Amino acid sequence: MINIKTQVGIIGAGPAGLVLANWLRKYGIASVIIELRSREYVEGRVRAGLVEQNTKDILKELRLDARMNKEGIVHDGVYLSFDEERIHIPFGELTGGRTISIYGQQEIVKDLTDAWLQEGGELHFETKATKIVDFDTKSPKIYFEKDGEEGIMECDFVAACDGFHGIGRKTLPKKSFQSYDITYPFSWLGILAHVAPSTDELIYAYHENGFALHSLRSEMVSRLYIQVDNDESVDNWSDDRIWSELSKRLATPGFELEEGPIFEKGITPMRSHMIDSLQSGRLFLSGDAAHIVPPTGGKGMNLAIADVKHLVDAFVDFYSNNSEAKMDSYTRIALQRIWRAQDFSNFMTKLFHKQDAHGSFTYRLQKAKFDYLKVSRAYKTTIAENYVGLPFESFEI
Ligand code: FAD
Ligand code: DHB
């Protein structure tokens, strides 16, 4: 039996768990992370790329932004297209200088893992949390399995940062929360390709064939997505078919899409999932463990890190002031931003995805929104401030 004792036991070495551990260390609060997958797997997992202003500010505060500043790409705006017409939303001008950066989630995960391990942090890869018990007492425990051996982590608090399929949410007593779900009737087929981006900033596009998004990773790597049916398989999508569909959906007069070798293809279903309590006793949930937003708008990783900010505030208040006030308000404070992000992600999803026949009532409402965006600075500001992320002060703390 392996025995570990710490103050905060963290399950999951994704963005939420790693930011939490690194941040707590700044305040002298001890934590240990256990992670189901190998280091290679976690660091290679292709996911998010959009880093909003608050996340950049947090990484700066943690002094973990050096590589992002060097290799990430700052964007001061975004293009929105509808039926081959394109407009630009300038973030800086509409939000008082806030921006986003494009920097792969797995790069953030590498930077956070390196920083944690270099300063002697304890992180157990290929270790599966199997059970969380006694979280209604002052000494909760996480049972785990590592190399076929059973282990137990005794801690003051458990932070379940173990993503959508983890054990944190499943452990919350059923009667302590309500859940809300939407399953969208489409998925995203995402690719990475060795080709220079054909755009200087991201393009979200509605087309009668469905949604398309042109994002990027570097001067030589592009990231693109298209809307596909939920039952689609990547096997039905040859490289030629993907590029042909992307060029149709992203077309506007004068725009040319460069093509290149595709080296990664994957299909992601789209859903919204919410629970209305992120805590039970000494068990706290952060990130995808507690909520899922559809990817349109790039909020998932940013929300995970925003949750952690409130959790750090709560633990610091506890260990420095012996106060449980911020723990008690964790759910209420975090849910304000999470619901805002659910609404924005749902809005962006419905505006740019094909939901009904081209020309239908739903289509005309989508088009009416886009036409209004063209003329209204107020409407553009709404999109800009949500896209770059509202400052923490915008919500009641
Ligand atoms: P995760 O990253 O899922 O980490 C949880 C960790 O817990 C995992 O490493 C998992 O292996 C581990 N774990 C699970 N169960 C156990 C267990 N029993 N024991 C031990 N460990 C366990 N978000 C954005 O902000 N911007 C974007 O541009 C964006 N684009 C996206 C595009 C795609 C295609 C996808 C799929 C997602 C995108 N997201 C985006 C969402 C974002 O990737 C997630 O919201 C983010 O990974 C959440 O971080 P997390 O730390 O909460 O969870
Ligand atoms: C990316 C993903 C998103 O979901 C999004 O809205 C913008 C960018 C990306 O992977 O780059």
Side-chain angles (χ1 to χ4, degrees), residues 47-50 102 188 202 204 213 215-217 223 225 295-299 387:
R47 281 191 168 175
L50 192 162
I102 294 298
W188 277 14
L202 270 56
Y204 290 77
L213 167 60
S215 182
L216 49 133
R217 285 295 178 268
R223 175 86 167 135
Y225 300 94
T296 334
K299 289 287 159 220
Y387 198 86

Side-chain angles (χ1 to χ4, degrees), residues 317-336:
D317 194 35
F318 177 83
Y319 286 109
S320 308
N321 308 324
N322 201 18
S323 159
E324 296 192 14
K326 290 199 174 168
M327 289 190 179
D328 294 343
S329 58
Y330 170 64
T331 286
R332 185 178 57 76
I333 302 289
L335 279 181
Q336 297 174 65

